[in-house]
Amino acid sequence: MSTYLIGDVHGCYDELHSLLQQVAFDPEKDTLWLTGDLVARGPGSLEVLRYVRSLGNAVRIVLGNHDLHLLAVYAGISRNKPKDRITPLLEAPDADELINWLRRQPLLQVDEEKKLVMAHAGITPQWDIETAKMCAREVESVLSSDSYPLFLNAMYGDMPNNWSPELTGLARLRFSTNALTRMRFCFPNGQLDMICKEAPDSAPPPLKPWFAIENPVARDYTIIFGHWASLEGKGTPDGIIGLDTGCCWGGSLTMLRWEDRQLFIQPSNRQQNNETSDAALRAE
């Protein structure tokens, strides 16, 4: 029995299939963790969702910002961007089933036995593990309810950017969603900066990557995240692991086998056609 953790798939179904073949992944005995952003930008978002859903209890995922955006597009709240390449998914005969399954997935995974925590963007330094679990559950609860379109309509925005237990309503849900699915940089006090999308060494002071600030959760757990392709899986401290290596941008899909910490790499089937435009798209 092995535990495999894979970075952002972004519709790269062929690469996902090839990567799992490398280790002869067996859903009858192995477990697959996925860091979110299952869809968009790659050509196989529909195939990825169908496959991941078929794995049942053998898979543990978290929702990413592109997954949430898909939900908003399907609900008629946001527009379908051609560059996301999700039209085949939106028009599929089983789209309703896939979307309803997706919106019932978590934003946070915690394994107390393995001391593993996974969120798409990471864990804000302003939270301890109990706060992170509480805030994730609140978002998950409204997403799985009949009132989810109200939340999807209100989730876009960069404020509030500072955690307080006194936050309520949609403002609280928006902060939690940004922290779990969009965060990259923070101020030294842990306050989110939702504007800067530079490489970590190019950010203006006093901004720091969220993982460069003392994090209460990292004291007791290994934190697994995706979202930040330009990191290429590098530059994080011990106990915080970034697995997004930009497969949809022509990079690779990266998988970590937890039991022996071995990495497996599947190169992208695509090549970057324009580094300048890709760099701009990565920041979205």
Side-chain angles (χ1 to χ4, degrees):
M1 297 175 61
S2 296
T3 305
Y4 297 103
L5 303 103
I6 298 181
D8 301 17
V9 177
H10 271 300
C12 297
Y13 174 75
D14 291 342
E15 291 88 339
L16 175 63
H17 181 70
S18 297
L19 186 58
L20 293 175
Q21 279 190 320
Q22 286 189 38
V23 296
F25 173 74
D26 183 352
E28 295 297 321
K29 61 180 183 179
D30 300 326
T31 304
L32 178 64
W33 290 50
L34 298 170
T35 64
D37 278 1
L38 299 177
V39 302
R41 305 302 168 87
S45 293
L46 173 59
E47 291 78 9
V48 168
L49 282 195
R50 283 173 172 168
Y51 174 68
V52 173
R53 182 175 179 239
S54 76
L55 294 176
N57 293 331
V59 68
R60 297 179 67 167
I61 76 168
V62 293
L63 295 177
N65 54 304
H66 282 274
D67 305 316
L68 292 174
H69 184 68
L70 168 66
L71 297 179
V73 171
Y74 197 74
I77 292 164
S78 190
R79 67 181 181 87
N80 177 15
K81 303 173 184 177
K83 64 186 178 184
D84 282 339
R85 307 170 76 178
I86 56 173
T87 299
L89 169 54
L90 297 172
E91 297 178 349
D94 54 346
D96 277 343
E97 296 176 19
L98 293 170
I99 293 296
N100 284 323
W101 168 81
L102 189 66
R103 70 181 178 89
R104 289 174 170 82
Q105 300 309 304
L107 275 76
L108 181 73
Q109 291 280 1
V110 180
D111 189 311
E112 291 292 349
E113 181 180 346
K114 295 180 174 63
K115 288 298 178 182
L116 273 177
V117 170
M118 181 174 69
H120 177 63
I123 305 293
T124 170
Q126 294 188 319
W127 284 348
D128 58 20
I129 188 62
E130 293 305 321
T131 304
K133 289 193 289 188
M134 174 183 65
C135 290
R137 285 195 299 264
E138 290 169 354
V139 178
E140 293 160 9
S141 177
V142 72
L143 264 180
S144 63
S145 73
D146 291 339
S147 60
Y148 75 96
L150 176 65
F151 161 71
L152 293 173
N153 190 51
M155 73 175 176
Y156 294 100
D158 298 338
M159 300 298 290
N161 66 343
N162 194 49
W163 168 248
S164 168
E166 297 178 359
L167 284 175
T168 60
L170 292 172
R172 182 181 175 105
L173 295 172
R174 187 184 305 114
F175 176 88
S176 299
T177 303
N178 284 341
L180 291 164
T181 70
R182 292 182 58 214
M183 172 184 67
R184 288 189 177 94
F185 290 99
C186 294
F187 292 92
N189 66 353
Q191 178 179 330
L192 305 184
D193 174 83
M194 303 304 300
I195 298 174
C196 182
K197 296 177 180 178
E198 303 294 329
D201 57 359
S202 301
L207 297 182
K208 297 182 178 181
W210 66 268
F211 50 76
I213 301 171
E214 184 177 359
N215 194 305
V217 176
R219 297 172 192 159
D220 301 312
Y221 299 84
T222 297
I223 300 175
I224 305 293
F225 72 104
H227 184 55
W228 205 338
S230 62
L231 293 177
E232 298 179 343
K234 303 172 184 176
T236 58
D238 290 345
I240 300 180
I241 302 172
L243 288 176
D244 183 8
T245 48
C247 186
C248 67
W249 311 112
S252 61
L253 197 59
T254 295
M255 176 169 64
L256 172 69
R257 184 164 58 203
W258 179 248
E259 285 71 22
D260 60 4
R261 309 302 195 269
Q262 183 174 347
L263 286 173
F264 300 87
I265 307 295
Q266 181 63 41
S268 172
N269 292 342
R270 287 158 293 283
Q271 297 293 323
Q272 294 182 1
N273 296 319
N274 186 311
E275 293 185 1
T276 301
S277 62
D278 273 355
L281 289 172
R282 285 190 195 201
E284 295 186 3

